[in-house]
Amino acid sequence: MLTIEVNNRKIEAKSGEMLLDTLKRNGITVPTLCHMENLFPTGACRMCVVEVEGERALVPSCAYPVRDGMKVQTHSPRALRARKTIIELLLANHPDDCLYCVRSGHCDLQGLANELGVRERRYSGGKNEYHVDSSNPSIVRDPAKCILCGKCVRVCEEVQAVAAIDFVGRGSKTMVGTAFSEGLNVSSCINCGQCIMVCPTGALREQSYIKEVLNAIADPGKLVVVQHAPSVSVTLGEEFGLKPGADVDGMLVAALRRLGFDRVFDTSFSADLTIMEEASELAHRIRTGGKLPMMTSCSPGWIKFVEEFYPEMLDNLSTCKSPQQMMGAVIKSFFAEREGIAPDKIFSVAIMPCVAKKFEAGRPEHSRNGIPDIDAVLTTRELARVIRMRGMDLQSLTPEHADTPFGERSTAGKIFGASGGVMEAAIRTAYHLLTGDELPGLKVEAIRGFDGRKEAKLEINGTPIGVAVVSGLQNARQLLEEIRNGRDDIHFIEVMTCPGGCIAGGGQPLNANPDAIRARMQALYTIDRDEPVRTSHGNPSIQRLYTEFLGEPLGEKSHHLLHTHYAKREVMV
Amino acid sequence: MSTITGQAAVQPDLQDILDRYPDAGRDALIPLLQEVQEMHGYLSREAIARIGEHLHLPASKIYGVATFYNQFRFLPLGRYHIQVCRGTACHVKGSLGVLDAVRQDLGLEPGKTTRDGLFSLEVVACIGACGLAPVICINGEFHANLTPQKVRRILDELREEVENEE
């Protein structure tokens, strides 16, 4: 332990850490624009500059290691003036269209300009002509609002191992772009939207489908159904001032009804359905010597990643559609038949924590007879916008239940929202399929929690089974490389594109800190602990769907409706 | 419109160059890009993809590095490759007007090639012929003491030359 003096008060620091980390832990806030937790500091933005006694110039605290006895002033007039000037310079060529910007209120640049008291345009810089890139079904890029902090570039390369974007050009003409400055839609972008989550401005945003959804609701000729993903109920509350991890499931259902959706379904139900198919597929592969390790297929960013970077491993992917697409398929088949309504009269909406789900919904494999199974995907953020637009107070709504036949879920389906949840749910059901008994305790502790890589060794019926859970595709890439190099003790792999799983997806509320994301995860496991139905095969509605319609897992109907295929993608990687 | 393309359609095999950089890392990127451009006249998509594979670098990164430097181009050279000098002496003698005249006449930005493949444009810092300022160089041949009018005439003559061939 070291002792340093900050703003004339002594605080403790850990040897080897950067000054910014010390300050943060001691509750001293120094603003940053380019800093990224757990990644090597670049010192690019200089917002975190502080005065250190004995140093001639201001130093960037993010990249300045602490020294015992050092004396620091974090908010001296000189430091504040420097920060303000940096913001003023960044604003010199900014469009200043906050009134029209979707990021307004969540924008770091706007927030800092306000905090530092920028009240006039002191510098006026030349502006480049930029095109908004709206080619991608998930993500929109507006280079005019970009401050070149580099966070999107780094998250894409260092966290997701995709590197679809980098700095292009030089000097005042520099911009963030793809190889050959092409549209994001034809790049290697996997649509995860982690770039949106780290962007300090409105330069990156989700492709919004709010208008399409509202138009469908207003159309008397359409039956508009909606499903909401497992993680949405534990994150939406943050948009309305509730503390992270608050579960607003019933109020969410009530809000969706008041918005005019004709039926409200729970994607956790189709997560249960996914487990029935996926666990059966795993058991089948193990019994018949099929391709192993089997890899989960719920996360559409991950699917595109395999199609681009590991096409030789496509057969390892489970053929199961994701819960969103399984729900979409049974809505426009079983439900449509049951209601006596033509599939093209149904408008099917999904509320997702994810922007890649927008891309997934548009994949041609996910439509039948030219009719897409899912018509529009809204993120948690977009739903919050619609609720606000309608002047609803989420907290004052009386909780309601989702609709039959797809409203009842087990908690196994609910924990899909956290990294490790799909695996745990699948193990519960696979254990049952292979032994006829229930997994003792219904819990696999080793694959819970926030680590990017988790592994466990199980024994089912005397057969050892190795499982691995990864989130963040850099972790996935490492594991795939191990397998490529001959590792063969893993039978089943869960991959979530976003670090921590869907609770930290690219469509979730912005500006969440690590504690908030932990609280979201905890909320899902609390639901799992406290409710009685904790296995997918124990969900009575699932059993009914198989009896009345599907027959059996991996049966012919399932094959047509619930399974899919993948293909190699030719993109510049 | 003529369909002449500046470079022959057949590209020499990149592999020869890559083979000279076995087990190379990212530090070999710039020399590799230079050699490939030397051979092809520009950096094609295919070339960048294959260099990326060879060095285990993403295409976006290579494109990012290549666009940082003036020397790299991403379109084949035109049949007439025009280098406009923007060095100090040329600037003083009015090379900006010469450059603007070329840009307007050809509808071409530096680094690009006309669609018919006839002309490509490059801005260079100084070609070491300050006594001839403002100077341009077309396919290695210098044209001295230019004005916007003179440079337009040169371009017209080149077009005529091509038309007469047909």
Side-chain angles (χ1 to χ4, degrees):
Chain A
M1 273 297 176
L2 313 174
T3 305
I4 66 172
E5 196 182 298
V6 179
N7 305 339
N8 309 320
R9 291 177 57 176
K10 288 200 165 36
I11 61 172
E12 287 198 332
K14 292 178 190 160
S15 173
E17 73 180 344
M18 295 299 166
L19 179 55
L20 182 70
D21 298 318
T22 314
L23 296 173
K24 225 181 225 176
R25 206 181 40 253
N26 286 280
I28 301 163
T29 305
V30 172
T32 59
L33 282 172
C34 72
H35 182 67
M36 299 180 83
E37 206 112 357
N38 302 323
L39 295 186
F40 197 78
T42 57
C45 75
R46 318 308 278 189
M47 275 308 289
C48 67
V49 288
V50 295
E51 266 191 277
V52 173
E53 200 176 279
E55 289 283 354
R56 187 184 50 82
L58 295 168
V59 303
S61 55
C62 70
Y64 196 87
V66 285
R67 272 184 288 107
D68 199 29
M70 70 192 289
K71 290 183 178 168
V72 181
Q73 290 292 333
T74 59
H75 287 76
S76 64
R78 189 173 164 215
L80 284 173
R81 195 165 55 240
R83 286 182 207 142
K84 186 175 177 184
T85 304
I86 290 166
I87 294 293
E88 287 173 323
L89 287 167
L90 286 172
L91 290 174
N93 64 355
H94 197 76
D96 282 358
D97 59 352
C98 297
L99 268 175
Y100 306 98
C101 184
V102 71
R103 198 76 177 210
S104 187
H106 296 284
C107 173
D108 292 346
L109 186 64
Q110 185 190 47
L112 284 171
N114 194 30
E115 270 172 33
L116 292 164
V118 177
R119 293 285 169 260
E120 60 182 333
R121 183 185 278 286
R122 230 171 21 115
Y123 306 105
S124 228
K127 290 185 186 177
N128 295 319
E129 251 185 63
Y130 291 115
H131 299 284
V132 174
D133 179 4
S134 55
S135 65
N136 182 295
S138 302
I139 300 164
V140 178
R141 294 175 56 249
D142 183 356
K145 294 180 182 173
C146 177
I147 58 167
L148 302 173
C149 70
K151 283 165 93 170
C152 54
V153 172
R154 297 192 73 196
V155 85
C156 194
E157 182 181 359
E158 296 174 43
V159 177
Q160 299 297 48
V162 171
I165 47 175
D166 203 343
F167 290 106
V168 171
R170 182 179 56 188
S172 63
K173 294 263 194 297
T174 308
M175 63 184 282
V176 172
T178 61
F180 286 89
S181 297
E182 290 181 318
L184 214 48
N185 60 334
V186 293
S187 76
S188 59
C189 169
I190 55 157
N191 315 303
C192 72
Q194 284 300 308
C195 53
I196 300 174
M197 304 309 281
V198 298
C199 183
T201 74
L204 287 156
R205 61 176 192 265
E206 66 282 317
Q207 187 77 263
S208 183
Y209 297 84
I210 289 178
K211 200 157 68 178
E212 286 78 354
V213 171
L214 295 183
N215 286 346
I217 289 174
D219 182 347
K222 292 275 185 201
L223 184 81
V224 187
V225 302
V226 64
Q227 55 171 308
H228 61 91
S231 64
V232 174
S233 79
V234 297
T235 61
L236 180 70
E238 288 169 47
E239 289 274 350
F240 297 92
L242 288 153
K243 67 176 198 309
D247 181 23
V248 298
D249 192 74
M251 293 175 264
L252 163 61
V253 173
L256 290 170
R257 288 226 177 85
R258 274 159 189 68
L259 289 174
F261 289 104
D262 298 304
R263 294 287 194 293
V264 181
F265 297 138
D266 190 339
T267 313
S268 304
F269 164 87
S270 51
D272 281 334
L273 188 56
T274 305
I275 288 301
M276 295 301 287
E277 294 292 327
E278 201 158 10
S280 305
E281 187 185 358
L282 178 66
H284 179 76
R285 286 192 192 207
I286 290 175
R287 266 200 304 266
T288 61
K291 188 90 169 170
L292 292 172
M294 188 172 93
M295 309 190 295
T296 57
S297 53
C298 311
S299 187
W302 155 242
I303 297 293
K304 190 162 184 260
F305 182 83
V306 180
E307 290 179 322
E308 290 174 0
F309 296 97
Y310 292 90
E312 79 278 12
M313 287 175 143
L314 286 172
D315 289 341
N316 292 77
L317 286 172
S318 162
T319 59
C320 289
K321 289 182 183 173
S322 70
Q324 166 179 291
Q325 294 305 142
M326 283 202 183
M327 179 70 94
V330 292
I331 285 171
K332 293 204 181 176
S333 57
F334 174 69
F335 174 77
E337 271 175 42
R338 207 180 92 139
E339 300 286 311
I341 183 170
D344 64 349
K345 295 281 181 257
I346 298 176
F347 191 89
S348 188
V349 179
I351 311 294
M352 290 285 142
C354 180
V355 290
K357 287 283 168 193
K358 295 169 186 270
F359 166 79
E360 183 185 44
R363 288 179 70 119
E365 309 87 87
H366 294 325
S367 40
R368 283 167 296 125
N369 310 321
I371 303 167
D373 281 336
I374 297 293
D375 294 282
V377 175
L378 299 186
T379 59
T380 312
R381 293 193 295 271
E382 287 169 278
L383 175 64
R385 261 173 244 150
V386 176
I387 293 174
R388 280 193 291 266
M389 194 189 287
R390 292 283 289 264
M392 260 186 261
D393 175 18
L394 187 75
Q395 292 190 57
S396 69
L397 296 175
T398 311
E400 294 176 10
H401 287 291
D403 289 301
T404 52
F406 310 137
E408 194 176 23
R409 57 147 179 83
S410 78
T411 62
K414 191 69 178 169
I415 57 174
F416 260 60
S419 158
V422 177
M423 177 61 75
E424 189 165 333
I427 290 172
R428 290 176 191 176
T429 290
Y431 191 92
H432 178 74
L433 286 176
L434 292 164
T435 66
D437 296 325
E438 297 299 344
L439 177 74
L442 291 178
K443 191 171 176 185
V444 190
E445 189 65 47
I447 53 170
R448 293 189 176 189
F450 253 90
D451 286 346
R453 275 192 69 166
K454 298 169 276 192
E455 291 188 15
K457 295 273 178 276
L458 312 164
E459 218 180 88
I460 303 181
N461 262 357
T463 312
I465 293 180
V467 300
V469 171
V470 292
S471 66
L473 294 182
Q474 182 67 264
N475 293 318
R477 194 186 269 271
Q478 276 170 17
L479 183 62
L480 292 189
E481 288 301 322
E482 287 169 21
I483 288 162
R484 217 183 223 177
N485 294 330
R487 192 173 168 191
D488 60 0
D489 61 331
I490 305 277
H491 302 88
F492 189 24
I493 302 172
E494 177 206 293
V495 182
M496 288 297 151
T497 305
C498 298
C502 307
I503 44 165
Q508 293 286 31
L510 297 163
N511 306 0
N513 60 33
D515 287 342
I517 293 170
R518 255 169 236 283
R520 295 171 181 175
M521 184 182 272
Q522 192 49 51
L524 291 178
Y525 285 116
T526 304
I527 293 167
D528 180 51
R529 189 193 64 202
D530 294 345
E531 288 186 19
V533 184
R534 298 182 57 200
T535 60
S536 301
H537 55 276
N539 179 344
S541 292
I542 289 286
Q543 297 301 353
R544 213 171 301 129
L545 182 65
Y546 277 107
T547 321
E548 288 177 15
F549 182 63
L550 289 170
E552 54 177 356
L554 307 184
E556 205 194 318
K557 269 224 166 90
S558 293
H559 177 74
H560 282 301
L561 289 171
L562 308 182
H563 290 260
T564 184
H565 55 274
Y566 316 102
K568 182 178 178 182
R569 273 176 200 272
E570 297 289 350
V571 295
M572 274 263 208
V573 295
Chain B
M1 179 88 51
S2 156
T3 53
I4 298 161
T5 47
Q7 290 289 303
V10 185
Q11 294 197 341
D13 196 8
L14 265 175
Q15 200 56 44
D16 299 341
I17 297 177
L18 298 177
D19 284 348
R20 270 186 280 116
Y21 292 84
D23 307 315
R26 57 197 306 155
D27 51 327
L29 176 58
I30 290 172
L32 249 173
L33 290 174
Q34 285 169 324
E35 280 199 44
V36 171
Q37 173 153 306
E38 182 81 5
M39 181 186 259
H40 293 166
Y42 73 110
L43 299 172
S44 66
R45 298 170 56 92
E46 189 209 7
I48 284 192
R50 288 189 51 195
I51 294 169
E53 241 169 75
H54 188 73
L55 300 180
H56 305 289
L57 284 175
S60 62
K61 184 128 296 188
I62 299 178
Y63 186 69
V65 169
T67 53
F68 184 89
Y69 297 100
N70 236 351
Q71 58 179 300
F72 297 115
R73 44 185 300 120
F74 307 95
L75 291 170
L77 293 178
R79 173 166 168 183
Y80 300 108
H81 183 57
I82 305 168
Q83 293 169 300
V84 176
C85 182
R86 288 282 291 127
T88 312
C90 286
H91 174 73
V92 171
K93 300 280 264 177
S95 66
L96 187 58
V98 174
L99 176 61
D100 281 343
V102 177
R103 276 161 61 176
Q104 277 161 19
D105 193 271
L106 299 176
L108 202 57
E109 287 305 308
K112 302 281 196 243
T113 303
T114 52
R115 282 194 183 190
D116 58 10
L118 267 191
F119 297 100
S120 53
L121 176 59
E122 182 185 355
V123 171
V124 291
C126 177
I127 38 183
C130 304
L132 308 175
V135 61
I136 69 169
C137 178
I138 301 178
N139 292 355
E141 194 181 313
F142 285 67
H143 299 259
N145 300 317
L146 289 179
T147 61
Q149 291 77 13
K150 278 193 199 164
V151 82
R152 276 190 212 105
R153 212 173 308 132
I154 294 170
L155 295 176
D156 286 340
E157 282 165 17
L158 293 174
R159 288 196 189 94
E160 243 167 71
E161 204 176 296
V162 174
E163 266 165 39
N164 291 339
E165 279 173 17
E166 286 169 356

